[in-house]
Amino acid sequence: MVTSLRLSLFGLLSFTLVQAVSAAECGPDTRRGAEVFATECSVCHAVTKGTTGMMGPNLNGVDGRKSGSLAGFSYSQAMRDKDISWQAETIAQFITAPQAYVPGTYMPYMGLASADDRQAVACYLKEQH
Ligand code: HEC
């Protein structure tokens, strides 16, 4: 009984992991991602080069950027210490549950439930440079 519960939990975790990894495959169509960005992220983040003064860091050129490294933005210590490169996969993982991925982050966002929407917005951000 306990063993089968453990096994099914393991199955669930592997499934989640496979879903997150599939975020690496970005197609050419970023329309859905632009919509998700507009409704979920644009209140705090700009993607236009040079825009400052928003609550969150500018995400122009975020693909390949080291976490917590945009000059002039006051990041949490947690984000500066995270030491990862933002790619479609890591962005999709972060926005699943920001506080779980970067404990102590200043990003006041609960997470995006839809795996398709997470992938769409992560792929959209990859194209913003
Ligand atoms: C209510 C405001 C808010 C919303 C909504 C929000 N963010 Fe953020 N975001 C922030 C803040 C503040 C930070 C800086 C976090 C820190 O320093 O710990 C941040 C950081 C980030 C970073 C790290 C950037 C870097 O330079 O290291 C990424 C990537 C990101 N957000 C993506 C998103 C995406 C994608 C969405 C929409 C699904 C989103 N955020 C929604 C406020 C927000």
Side-chain angles (χ1 to χ4, degrees):
M1 173 65 186
V2 173
T3 314
S4 73
L5 186 67
R6 280 206 188 121
L7 278 177
S8 52
L9 269 177
F10 181 73
L12 197 68
L13 281 173
S14 330
F15 180 61
T16 312
L17 204 65
V18 167
Q19 275 196 324
V21 167
S22 74
E25 296 148 24
C26 291
D29 186 1
T30 54
R31 268 175 305 178
R32 177 66 193 150
E35 282 170 20
V36 175
F37 185 83
T39 54
E40 298 288 327
C41 324
S42 66
V43 64
C44 298
H45 290 283
V47 281
T48 311
K49 204 170 190 156
T51 302
T52 56
M54 309 273 295
M55 186 182 183
N58 192 315
L59 296 180
N60 185 281
V62 75
D63 184 53
R65 189 161 91 195
K66 187 189 164 304
S67 52
S69 71
L70 185 70
F73 187 84
S74 302
Y75 290 98
S76 62
Q77 190 63 45
M79 187 60 83
R80 279 185 270 136
D81 289 348
K82 181 68 182 172
D83 197 24
I84 51 153
S85 168
W86 291 122
Q87 315 282 353
E89 298 95 311
T90 47
I91 292 175
Q93 281 170 19
F94 178 49
I95 62 177
T96 303
Q99 289 291 341
Y101 193 64
V102 184
T105 179
Y106 286 167
M107 178 155 133
Y109 183 72
M110 289 305 289
L112 191 53
S114 158
D116 286 347
D117 284 356
R118 292 195 300 265
Q119 175 160 344
V121 75
C123 287
Y124 166 77
L125 285 173
K126 199 177 160 65
E127 299 306 316
Q128 308 307 305
H129 42 69

